[in-house]
């Protein structure tokens, strides 16, 4: 009576068919590599497409290491040795490979020691991540370009979210005397001069509500040493890490304000001296038109200075 044996054989055949279907139709690139020869003894269609072969049969007898880029071979061999020495060691790895048609692709995968047809072998599962790696590389290049622009900008650049500084470039940090790390843990309002703080906060809140506020304005800030300086702020809303924030371009105008104040003070001194002088003082522009006349001139001529301006 061989009924039990036949049922076991049928169950085994059914099980093998299921696993074969899974092996053949999965999107994972899979292959079995002989543990002694290092040659591929079984491969599926996904792996053949991945490496540019017409069919899995074309991969039989090839050595997977022949497709690994030379500079990565030593590392890959060390990983295989580690796995064969300790079958419980599970680690995914990313490698570069050259396909049959000359393309360079990035792969991520892992290996598992198995027994295949009575011999020690390794089952490799591979995923082509070339597109993802290229996108990641382009993103890193883009971020690096913007980082260079931001770090070397002549203006201070800051990102304010929830009232806190989330980002500051070196220019802004240098102007305040704080380190970038110190700034990124500081409420933005604490840097603003107390006399200007309320209007800056008001602009900040109204901007978030969609109300009309000046995009460009001036205010004073206090640096780490306690000095008062002037900045010109150009602020807009934008998206930062998935949430709305304020992008502020900050120009240090302290020297310009000092020059303006000095000029204003000088003009006021001149006018005070001229207005109270007993001498007749007349200023002419390049076209010999009167632009200023002291009160003494009016007394002499019997005309007010205002009547003479422009003659």
């Amino acid at each position: 009576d061989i009924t039990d044996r036949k049922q076991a054989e049928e169950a085994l055949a059914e099980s093998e068919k299921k696993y074969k279907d899974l092996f053949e139709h999965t999107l994972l690139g899979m292959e079995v590599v002989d543990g002694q020869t290092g040659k591929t003894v079984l491969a599926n269609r996904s792996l053949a497409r991945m490496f540019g072969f017409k069919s899995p049969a074309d991969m039989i007898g090839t050595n997977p290491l022949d497709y690994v880029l030379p500079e990565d071979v030593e590392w890959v061999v060390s990983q295989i040795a580690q796995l064969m020495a300790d079958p419980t060691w599970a680690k995914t790895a990313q490698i570069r490979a050259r396909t049959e048609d000359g393309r360079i692709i990035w792969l991520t995968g892992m290996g598992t020691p198995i027994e295949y047809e009575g011999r020690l072998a390794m089952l490799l599962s591979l995923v082509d991540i070339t597109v993802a790696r290229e996108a990641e590389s382009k993103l890193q290049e883009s971020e690096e370009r913007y980082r260079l622009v931001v770090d070397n900008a002549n203006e201070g650049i800051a990102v304010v979210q929830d009232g806190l500084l989330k980002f500051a470039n070196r220019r802004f940090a240098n102007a305040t005397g704080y380190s970038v790390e110190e700034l990124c843990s500081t409420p933005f309002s604490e840097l603003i001069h107390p006399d200007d703080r309320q209007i800056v906060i008001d602009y900040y809140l109204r901007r978030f509500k969609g109300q009309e506020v000046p995009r460009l304005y001036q205010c004073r800030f206090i640096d780490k040493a306690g000095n008062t300086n002037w900045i010109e702020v150009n602020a807009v809303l934008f998206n930062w890490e998935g949430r709305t924030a304020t992008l502020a371009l900050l120009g240090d105008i302290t020297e310009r304000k000092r020059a303006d104040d000095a000029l204003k003070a000088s003009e006021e001194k001149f006018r005070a001296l001229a207005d109270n002088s007993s001498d007749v003082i007349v200023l002419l522009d390049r076209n010999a038109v009167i632009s200023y006349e002291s009160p003494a001139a009016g007394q002499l001529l019997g005309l007010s200075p205002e009547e003479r301006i422009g003659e």
Side-chain angles (χ1 to χ4, degrees):
D1 186 353
I2 60 171
T3 304
D4 290 342
R5 191 177 74 189
K6 289 292 290 183
Q7 289 176 345
E9 289 174 352
E10 290 173 358
L12 178 60
E14 181 63 24
S15 176
E16 288 180 345
K17 182 179 184 304
K18 288 180 180 178
Y19 281 109
K20 183 178 181 181
D21 288 343
L22 179 63
F23 182 85
E24 288 294 339
H25 297 97
T26 180
L27 292 176
L28 284 173
M30 301 183 73
E31 66 180 324
V32 176
V33 180
D34 186 275
Q36 293 183 0
T37 66
K39 304 289 187 178
T40 299
V41 294
L42 187 65
N44 68 356
R45 284 180 289 188
S46 292
L47 188 73
R49 285 194 297 266
M50 196 179 295
F51 278 87
F53 286 90
K54 293 181 179 179
S55 71
D58 295 331
M59 296 196 71
I60 305 303
T62 62
N63 188 329
L65 290 177
D66 291 342
Y67 296 96
V68 178
L69 292 193
E71 52 266 40
D72 295 345
V73 170
E74 183 177 349
W75 180 82
V76 172
V77 170
S78 69
Q79 300 298 295
I80 294 174
Q82 174 74 19
L83 179 62
M84 298 304 286
D86 181 10
T88 64
W89 185 64
K91 179 183 178 182
T92 59
Q94 292 187 4
I95 60 174
R96 293 171 297 170
R98 189 181 300 277
T99 66
E100 184 70 5
D101 51 4
R103 292 176 294 112
I104 294 178
I105 59 176
W106 276 92
L107 302 171
T108 185
M110 61 186 303
T112 305
I114 63 170
E115 182 180 307
Y116 181 76
E117 296 183 349
R119 294 161 62 92
L120 179 64
M122 180 178 293
L123 174 65
L124 297 177
S125 302
L126 302 170
V127 178
D128 187 341
I129 59 168
T130 306
V131 174
R133 287 286 303 200
E134 289 177 349
E136 181 182 345
S137 178
K138 289 179 181 178
L139 177 61
Q140 290 176 347
E141 290 176 4
S142 176
E143 289 179 343
E144 181 62 23
R145 285 196 297 268
Y146 282 112
R147 187 178 295 110
L148 286 172
V149 170
V150 169
D151 285 345
N152 294 282
N154 286 325
E155 290 182 302
I157 299 176
V159 175
V160 183
Q161 192 177 65
D162 300 327
L164 298 174
L165 276 163
K166 296 293 186 177
F167 172 84
N169 70 343
R170 286 197 298 250
R171 183 76 173 185
F172 183 51
N174 293 339
T176 62
Y178 292 94
S179 68
V180 172
E181 291 74 19
E182 288 174 322
L183 285 174
C184 289
S185 61
T186 303
F188 182 71
S189 60
E190 290 187 7
L191 299 173
I192 306 301
H193 191 282
D195 293 345
D196 297 341
R197 191 171 295 160
Q198 189 55 51
I199 187 64
V200 172
I201 293 175
D202 181 58
Y203 284 167
Y204 176 80
L205 295 175
R206 286 169 56 194
R207 188 179 298 109
F208 265 81
K209 293 177 182 178
Q211 298 176 4
E212 191 71 25
V213 295
R215 181 172 175 176
L216 193 67
Y217 62 92
Q218 297 176 356
C219 66
R220 289 164 290 180
F221 75 94
I222 301 174
D223 64 20
K224 190 174 184 178
N227 301 312
T228 298
N229 300 283
W230 280 90
I231 54 172
E232 189 168 65
V233 182
N234 186 353
V236 294
L237 294 180
F238 82 128
N239 186 286
W240 176 264
E241 296 181 346
R243 297 174 53 225
T244 303
T246 296
L247 172 64
L249 305 181
L250 311 162
D252 189 339
I253 59 170
T254 304
E255 294 302 321
R256 191 177 82 192
K257 289 290 289 187
R258 287 173 181 167
D260 289 345
D261 291 344
L263 177 60
K264 183 178 179 181
S266 177
E267 289 177 343
E268 289 175 351
K269 288 178 183 178
F270 166 79
R271 184 168 293 277
L273 288 171
D275 285 352
N276 293 282
S277 174
S278 59
D279 294 328
V280 174
I281 301 174
V282 180
L283 291 182
L284 307 178
D285 65 17
R286 63 191 303 171
N287 296 314
V289 174
I290 297 172
S291 60
Y292 171 82
E293 195 170 79
S294 66
Q299 295 171 6
L300 177 67
L301 300 172
L303 296 171
S304 68
E306 290 75 13
E307 292 177 284
R308 296 266 293 162
I309 300 301
E311 292 186 356

